[in-house]
Amino acid sequence: MKFTRARSLQAVAVAAVLALTVGCSSQPEPAAEPTTSPPVEATASESASPALEVPDPRSLTGPAQAASLGAIEPIESDPTVTLPTTVTDDQGTKVTVVSIDRIVTLDIYGTISQTLVGLGLADNIAGRTVSDTDAALENVPLVTGGAHSVNVEAVLEVQPTLVLLDTTLGPANVPVLLRDAGVDVVVLNPDRSTELIDEQIRAIAEAAGVPETGAALIERTAGELDETLAYIDQLTADLDQPLRMAVLYVRGTAGIFFLFGGESAASGLIADLGGEHVAAAVGMGETVPANAESLVTIDPEVFLMMHDGLESTGGIDGLTSRPGVAQTTAGINQRVITAPDAQLISFGPTYPAALKALADAIYLDAE
């Protein structure tokens, strides 16, 4: 990468006019053939041409899986890095970043690492979580333990010069422990939505000292998202009522079985897919137990899930054996749409392509 060092923190602050605000599989998903990251396979007008036959999605039965995405193509292969830079993180802490030689990324969605790869900084990532599945990170050490918890000792073992994290992974004292060990830590916004994509990219780019590269990545992602949303509008144009959708989070056959409610990132995802978020419609909060009562109350037509989560509970048969699932319309029709874990809710630079892959699985039954 090209590297320029600012003469003073004040000069960096003037140059960086960005505002700082700113994921679960056990094995990375196999990478598809590398493409533009994330690719919208055709423009909206081409994809939604009259030749595209869209079935009645309510006539579709059985599970479908969203296609895995290809490797992320960096917006720039050798970005100019300007350090030191001082930012104020999501918790109000001022942090002066002096080196990005060894970055550790910690979030449940994989958004942070996806953004760094998109910025051309994949080689700077020294530690990751199980949600960070891009092909460029295959050999990067994992620093999380079971149940998406951060192993602070594992983080320190990779000798990070910067840790970028949000509060979606525990324990809550991780930032304090890492700062006490002398590591620069920038805490990012844990919220995810279409409206926050620009802010998240901007915040990560500023913390990494590549604000201009971040602006270019924002522009590319916004253009791809506009195309994808227009494509979905045409897929759903003939529906009298939107499909009733719900996002399930499940791990294993025991107690980890939740619905993402109206205060979660699932609301933005389902809205972008042209669906009705039934958990939000009945006032469910961020996450609620997916018990028989709650499932029958919302009665979704489509369940959206992480692929490894479905496999961990015994596939379709295991899922429908859980109380209440088989009594829903989605359960009766076995209409379960899965995506690779890092694709379902990321809202980073891969979001437009991940969204299109989900829409194709929902409305075209395509994989």
Side-chain angles (χ1 to χ4, degrees):
M1 73 185 70
K2 300 183 288 292
F3 185 94
T4 62
R5 182 168 294 277
R7 294 184 178 180
S8 69
L9 295 180
Q10 181 179 7
V12 172
V14 171
V17 292
L18 308 168
L20 180 66
T21 57
V22 78
C24 305
S25 62
S26 58
Q27 295 294 331
E29 289 289 328
E33 181 179 351
T35 58
T36 300
S37 167
V40 175
E41 296 176 1
T43 64
S45 59
E46 292 169 341
S47 297
S49 65
L52 180 64
E53 295 184 4
V54 181
D56 177 359
R58 291 185 168 90
S59 70
L60 302 174
T61 60
Q65 182 176 354
S68 298
L69 303 185
I72 301 172
E73 181 178 332
I75 192 72
E76 188 174 341
S77 61
D78 190 20
T80 297
V81 179
T82 301
L83 294 175
T85 186
T86 299
V87 297
T88 301
D89 74 8
D90 193 60
Q91 295 182 337
T93 302
K94 284 191 175 182
V95 183
T96 298
V97 178
V98 296
S99 172
I100 62 165
D101 289 347
R102 299 184 62 79
I103 305 174
V104 171
T105 62
L106 301 173
D107 72 305
I108 200 170
Y109 305 110
T111 311
I112 301 172
S113 69
Q114 291 173 13
T115 303
L116 289 174
V117 174
L119 292 169
L121 298 175
D123 290 344
N124 297 68
I125 300 176
R128 64 181 177 93
T129 76
V130 293
S131 301
D132 303 315
T133 59
D134 188 77
L137 308 179
E138 182 178 2
N139 296 319
V140 175
L142 291 171
V143 294
T144 48
H148 298 290
S149 62
V150 177
N151 183 332
V152 173
E153 290 183 359
V155 173
L156 295 175
E157 282 178 4
V158 302
Q159 300 181 328
T161 59
L162 173 65
V163 173
L164 298 176
L165 56 78
D166 62 22
T167 55
T168 58
L169 298 175
N173 63 345
V174 167
V176 174
L177 294 175
L178 292 174
R179 284 173 176 149
D180 286 348
V183 180
D184 289 336
V185 177
V186 175
V187 180
L188 303 167
N189 186 350
D191 295 332
R192 297 291 186 273
S193 71
T194 304
E195 292 75 17
L196 292 175
I197 292 175
D198 290 3
E199 292 181 27
Q200 289 160 353
I201 295 175
R202 188 177 294 118
I204 293 168
E206 180 180 353
V210 290
E212 293 182 359
T213 307
L217 184 58
I218 288 170
E219 182 178 2
R220 184 179 79 180
T221 304
E224 292 171 344
L225 183 57
D226 286 344
E227 290 183 348
T228 298
L229 293 175
Y231 173 68
I232 293 173
D233 283 344
Q234 297 208 27
L235 289 179
T236 59
D238 292 335
L239 286 178
D240 293 331
Q241 297 292 330
L243 285 178
R244 303 191 308 275
M245 302 182 190
V247 177
L248 286 175
Y249 182 80
V250 58
R251 278 294 182 270
T253 57
I256 304 178
F257 191 41
F258 295 97
L259 281 163
F260 285 101
E263 298 173 9
S264 71
S267 287
L269 173 66
I270 291 174
D272 290 343
L273 287 167
E276 178 190 2
H277 189 196
V278 286
V282 298
M284 293 181 179
E286 186 168 358
T287 58
V288 297
N291 55 37
E293 180 181 1
S294 61
L295 291 171
V296 172
T297 297
I298 63 174
D299 188 26
E301 297 171 286
V302 174
F303 284 125
L304 304 176
M305 298 181 63
M306 296 177 183
H307 180 70
D308 283 3
L310 179 62
E311 292 300 307
S312 75
T313 198
I316 290 293
D317 290 342
L319 179 67
T320 55
S321 70
R322 285 177 174 266
V325 174
Q327 284 69 54
T328 64
T329 302
I332 292 168
N333 294 325
Q334 298 191 341
R335 198 63 181 141
V336 179
I337 310 299
T338 62
D341 288 20
Q343 285 181 210
L344 187 61
I345 301 178
S346 66
F347 289 101
T350 63
Y351 183 63
L355 187 66
K356 182 182 184 300
L358 273 172
D360 285 343
I362 293 168
Y363 296 109
L364 301 179
D365 213 24
E367 298 189 15

